[in-house]
Amino acid sequence: MELFSVNNIIFSIGGQGVSLIEILSVFSGLICVFLATRAKVANFWMGYLYNVLLFILFYQKGLYSSMLVQPISFIINFFGHYRWTHPKKGEENSKNQLKVTLLSNGQRVRFLVQTLVITAVWGFALTYLDQLFPQIFSKAQKPFLDAFVTVMILTAQYLSAQKKLDCWGAWFIVNITNITLYILAGLAFLPMVSAAYLVLAFFGFAMWRRQWQNNN
């Protein structure tokens, strides 16, 4: 674990040190997102590695909401891996994989309300995490912003697992919010990477939209 400590600085950007684990997280994440934009099943394999690296990084940085969500994210990733490769009858595309579809307006409203409620509850819980488990956790950094990002990531990942075109809208919000959260947490490299993710999300939306149009 010492090898992956945030104290092992490889280089600095704007006075902020960049550790080995941050670099590894960045590259695994970029590869994962790039493969996802092209609707490649291989993105899930990189996603598993990305979850493990982020779990370690966020623990070291005190972003406990983002840390605790990684096991859940890992499970959703596994679910998406199965869904993409085992579509039900009528859900398959020409490659016999899950095809791109859209949410209904009612489903969009439900996801929005669900996100706001869970964010409020989880953000409140995070403010007391260090008091309940002082030997494990220090004071949480930006608990409500961290909670919001966490819930949005899970929502975006779940929609991605179901191959819903709407997932890219959620990823836009996640990446914009992450830039703010990472800067406030003292991370230098990840904000730049989130900006790259944002660009990739536009390409992902365009490519998935083209697939959706071809299926309809």
Side-chain angles (χ1 to χ4, degrees):
M1 185 69 71
E2 187 65 27
L3 175 64
F4 297 109
S5 172
V6 292
N7 294 320
N8 290 331
I9 304 303
I10 306 301
F11 59 88
S12 297
I13 297 178
Q16 295 290 343
V18 179
S19 65
L20 175 61
I21 190 170
E22 193 172 347
I23 295 171
L24 293 175
S25 299
V26 164
F27 281 105
S28 62
L30 284 172
I31 294 171
C32 178
V33 175
F34 174 75
L35 292 172
T37 63
R38 303 186 64 82
K40 299 292 185 181
V41 174
N43 85 86
F44 293 105
W45 294 109
M46 290 305 303
Y48 298 137
L49 174 61
Y50 190 46
N51 288 149
V52 173
L53 292 172
L54 287 183
F55 183 91
I56 300 171
L57 176 64
F58 290 142
Y59 174 76
Q60 294 175 343
K61 279 295 184 177
L63 296 175
Y64 299 128
S65 180
S66 295
M67 178 203 76
L68 292 172
V69 81
Q70 296 309 313
I72 302 173
S73 182
F74 191 96
I75 293 172
I76 296 176
N77 199 38
F78 183 81
F79 167 72
H81 198 166
Y82 181 85
R83 281 285 287 141
W84 279 35
T85 55
H86 296 78
K88 298 177 182 178
K89 187 174 182 179
E91 293 182 334
E92 65 271 16
N93 58 20
S94 58
K95 297 180 180 180
N96 201 32
Q97 296 179 2
L98 186 66
K99 66 182 180 181
V100 179
T101 55
L102 283 174
L103 291 174
S104 67
N105 288 331
Q107 289 174 320
R108 290 178 183 133
V109 172
R110 178 167 61 85
F111 274 112
L112 175 60
V113 173
Q114 176 179 286
T115 296
L116 295 177
V117 172
I118 297 178
T119 294
V121 173
W122 184 235
F124 182 78
L126 283 176
T127 61
Y128 293 97
L129 199 61
D130 62 316
Q131 298 177 32
L132 294 173
F133 306 100
Q135 289 79 22
I136 303 176
F137 300 111
S138 57
K139 185 176 178 60
Q141 299 295 315
K142 309 300 177 184
F144 286 97
L145 181 59
D146 191 15
F148 175 73
V149 172
T150 297
V151 176
M152 283 304 302
I153 287 175
L154 288 178
T155 300
Q157 191 173 11
Y158 176 77
L159 295 176
S160 299
Q162 297 283 14
K163 222 169 191 180
K164 298 294 183 181
L165 181 60
D166 310 71
C167 76
W168 294 108
W171 285 123
F172 292 150
I173 297 173
V174 167
N175 292 321
I176 291 171
T177 309
N178 262 343
I179 293 173
T180 302
L181 179 62
Y182 291 153
I183 291 175
L184 293 175
L187 293 167
F189 202 22
L190 286 180
M192 298 170 61
V193 176
S194 289
Y197 288 158
L198 188 60
V199 173
L200 285 173
F202 281 102
F203 284 104
F205 173 77
M207 296 183 73
W208 281 36
R209 185 171 182 271
R210 192 176 306 118
Q211 288 190 25
W212 173 74
Q213 290 174 328
N214 292 336
N215 292 330
N216 292 278

